[in-house]
Amino acid sequence: AGECRNLQNKLAKAAAGDAFIVQGGDCAEAFDAFNANKIRDFYRVMLQMGLIVAFGGGVPVIKLGRIAGQYAKPRSGDMEKIGDVELPSYRGDNVNGAEFTPEARIPDPQRLIKGYNQSAATLNLIRGFSSGGYGGLSRVAAWNLDFMAKSKEGTHFMDIAKRVDEALSFMSACGIDIDSPTLNTTEFYTSHECLHMDLEQCLTREDSTTGKYYDCSAHYLWCGERTRQLDHAHLEFLRGVGNPIGVKVSDKSNPEDLITMIKAFNPDNVPGRLTIIVRMGAQKLRQHFPKLLQAVKDAGLVVTWQSDPMHGNTETVQGYKTRRYENVRAEIEAFFDVHDQMGTVPGGIHLEMTGDNVTECIGGGSNVESTDLESRYHTHCDPRLNAEQALEIAFYVASRLRKRREAVRAAK
C-alpha cells in the first residue's frame, strides 16, 4: 500500500509536467515464457528507455511494467474461427490456453494458481534487480542487450552510458558518494489490466495504516475500453481501491461521458489518482483529443494524460496481426502536438513491447518487413515492439520533452 501511495505521488508530478511515465510490457504474459532471463532482458530495456527519456528529456521517469499479472485479456468476440473450426476465444493464460485446440480452450481454474505463483516470483525477481544494484547508474553500460550492440539505437545508448559514467567519475572526484542508494537502486512498479474480477477481489486487502483497501495484485491497475462503462462492475471495483488507476479511452468517448467517468473514478479530484490513457490512431487523435482535453480543463479536473499508440494502429498483414512503427510514432507525435496546441501536459507513454528480438511490428530501425513477420512472431495476443523499436520510441519521446523544456525556458 505504501508503494502504491508513492507511485500516486509520482503520477501527480507527471500530471504537472514534473515527471514522465514510461509504461511497457507484453500484451499478454505467457506461462511458457516465464524464466529469469526473459524477465531480466525486459527489465533491461525498461531501464534503458527510462534512462534515455530522463537523460534527454530532463525529467524524472516513472518506470511502470505491464508485468507480474498481465495474464488475462479481453477479446472482441467470444469465439475464434480458423477455417471451418470455431472454438472459444483465448482469454489469457489465467483462463485458457492459446493453442487452437478444444482441450486448450477449456477454462481451467488451476491456471489462476499458476498465474499467482508466477506473478509473485516475477515481482520478487524485479525487486531483487531494483534494490540489489542491477539498476544502479554504475551498471548502465551492462544494460545493453547483446543483439542490440551493433544497432543504431544500441550505439546511441552506449554514448549516453559513456556520458553517465563520466558524470559519475566527476561526482566522485568532487567528493560525492557514488555508492549511495540513490545512485545504485531504482524504483520499478508493476501494472496490469483489471479484468478478472474474482481474482482481483481475492487479492484486495485493507491497509492497516490508512484503513483503505488496496488491490495487492499490482501497484497500478487500468480499466480497458471494453470494460469502463459507468454501470459495470469494473468501474465500481476500481473506484473502491486506493491504488492509482488508469482508464483507456478511444475516439468513441465524448466529452460529457469522460467528465462523468472521471468524477466517478476520482470524486475528490486527487492528483495522481487517475490516468487517462488515450488510444485513437494519429489522425483520429488530432480530430477528437482536443475536445476531451478542453472539457477536462474547463471542468477543473486533474488527470495524468498518457498515450497508448498501439491499439489504434493494429492491422492484419499476410495473416498476422501487426503494427507499423511509423504509425505508432505518428500517434505519439500527434499526442505531443495536441498538448502543445492546448497548453496541457503529456504525462507518459504506454507501449506493448518486449526485450526479445521479435519480428511482430513492421518498420523502424530494425527494418522488419512484412515478409519477416513469420520469422520470430511469438506473441500470444497482440504484436509488440522489439527492443530496438522500443528504444527508437524512447529517443523520440526524449527529443519532444527536450523541445518542451526549451520552449518553457524561452517563455520565461
Side-chain angles (χ1 to χ4, degrees):
E3 293 173 352
C4 293
R5 289 191 289 273
N6 290 339
L7 174 58
Q8 182 165 302
N9 291 335
K10 293 178 183 298
L11 294 173
K13 292 181 179 180
D18 297 323
F20 194 83
I21 308 161
V22 173
Q23 184 175 6
D26 287 322
C27 169
E29 289 180 274
F31 288 167
D32 61 10
F34 172 72
N35 67 69
N37 289 342
K38 283 186 177 292
I39 296 168
R40 179 203 61 206
D41 289 349
F42 160 74
Y43 183 77
R44 286 161 73 176
V45 175
M46 287 292 292
L47 291 177
Q48 286 181 294
M49 293 176 69
L51 181 67
I52 290 166
V53 174
F55 192 88
V59 293
V61 169
I62 303 160
K63 295 179 285 294
L64 188 56
R66 292 173 56 113
I67 196 169
Q70 184 65 5
Y71 285 115
K73 290 297 297 180
R75 305 312 301 264
S76 299
D78 290 334
M79 304 297 289
E80 179 183 354
K81 189 173 184 179
I82 298 179
D84 296 329
V85 180
E86 188 174 57
L87 295 174
S89 294
Y90 168 63
R91 295 186 176 276
D93 278 9
N94 259 1
V95 179
N96 56 7
E99 301 82 7
F100 194 72
T101 65
E103 296 77 16
R105 295 302 172 89
I106 297 173
D108 179 3
Q110 290 301 315
R111 287 175 167 271
L112 294 172
I113 305 299
K114 187 171 184 178
Y116 173 82
N117 290 332
Q118 291 193 180
S119 295
T122 299
L123 182 58
N124 286 338
L125 184 58
I126 289 173
R127 286 189 191 280
F129 286 149
S130 298
S131 62
Y134 192 89
L137 290 179
S138 62
R139 288 187 52 85
V140 167
W143 297 344
N144 218 13
L145 296 166
D146 293 340
F147 67 84
M148 291 283 294
K150 296 182 180 179
S151 70
K152 178 182 176 182
E153 279 62 43
T155 301
H156 285 174
F157 177 77
M158 291 307 294
D159 290 340
I160 293 177
K162 182 179 178 182
R163 294 166 69 182
V164 169
D165 190 57
E166 290 172 348
L168 290 174
S169 295
F170 176 74
M171 291 166 64
S172 179
C174 292
I176 298 173
D177 182 12
I178 62 172
D179 294 322
S180 70
T182 301
L183 298 177
N184 287 280
T185 60
T186 190
E187 292 181 334
F188 192 97
Y189 300 96
T190 63
S191 66
H192 63 255
E193 181 175 357
C194 177
L195 189 63
H196 200 300
M197 294 301 299
D198 292 332
L199 175 65
E200 302 297 346
Q201 290 179 74
C202 286
L203 296 175
T204 299
R205 304 284 186 271
E206 183 179 2
D207 176 36
S208 58
T209 302
T210 64
K212 291 183 177 181
Y213 285 88
Y214 285 84
D215 186 340
C216 298
S217 67
H219 296 106
Y220 169 101
L221 301 146
W222 75 86
C223 192
E225 171 77 4
R226 298 177 181 89
T227 54
R228 61 174 175 79
Q229 294 85 356
L230 293 172
D231 59 346
H232 278 43
H234 293 83
L235 185 150
E236 184 65 22
F237 171 77
L238 282 173
R239 74 189 191 95
V241 297
N243 308 62
I245 55 178
V247 60
K248 290 199 175 186
V249 299
S250 70
D251 56 294
K252 299 174 185 176
S253 179
N254 63 63
E256 294 76 18
D257 289 345
L258 179 62
I259 296 302
T260 302
M261 183 178 63
I262 291 172
K263 289 181 177 179
F265 274 119
N266 189 19
D268 297 324
N269 204 24
V270 177
R273 161 68 171 162
L274 181 61
T275 298
I276 302 296
I277 310 160
V278 184
R279 43 158 292 182
M280 297 183 183
Q283 185 175 357
K284 290 182 178 179
L285 187 142
R286 292 185 186 276
Q287 294 171 353
H288 296 280
F289 191 33
K291 293 180 288 187
L292 302 183
L293 281 172
Q294 191 62 54
V296 173
K297 193 175 180 180
D298 291 344
L301 300 175
V302 180
V303 301
T304 306
W305 295 103
Q306 188 181 26
S307 170
D308 167 5
M310 309 299 292
H311 287 89
N313 294 297
T314 307
E315 58 185 281
T316 300
V317 176
Q318 297 187 0
Y320 290 92
K321 287 175 70 175
T322 189
R323 289 147 176 165
R324 299 181 189 274
Y325 172 85
E326 58 265 30
N327 293 338
V328 172
R329 173 174 159 158
E331 182 160 353
I332 297 174
E333 181 180 16
F335 179 74
F336 275 95
D337 287 348
V338 171
H339 277 294
D340 289 346
Q341 294 161 12
M342 300 294 293
T344 48
V345 178
I349 55 170
H350 185 140
L351 304 175
E352 290 185 340
M353 44 76 67
T354 176
D356 297 336
N357 188 20
V358 299
T359 55
E360 297 171 1
C361 291
I362 297 170
S366 53
N367 296 317
V368 178
E369 303 287 346
S370 59
T371 53
D372 298 322
L373 291 175
E374 66 178 357
S375 174
R376 295 184 300 279
Y377 195 96
H378 301 314
T379 182
H380 273 206
C381 197
D382 288 343
R384 305 161 295 174
L385 299 172
N386 62 30
E388 188 170 351
Q389 291 165 332
L391 292 193
E392 283 186 82
I393 292 295
F395 277 113
Y396 177 71
V397 168
S399 72
R400 292 303 301 255
L401 290 173
R402 187 185 310 114
K403 181 180 177 182
R404 283 180 60 86
R405 187 176 76 245
E406 291 170 351
V408 170
R409 285 178 179 173
K412 290 182 179 179

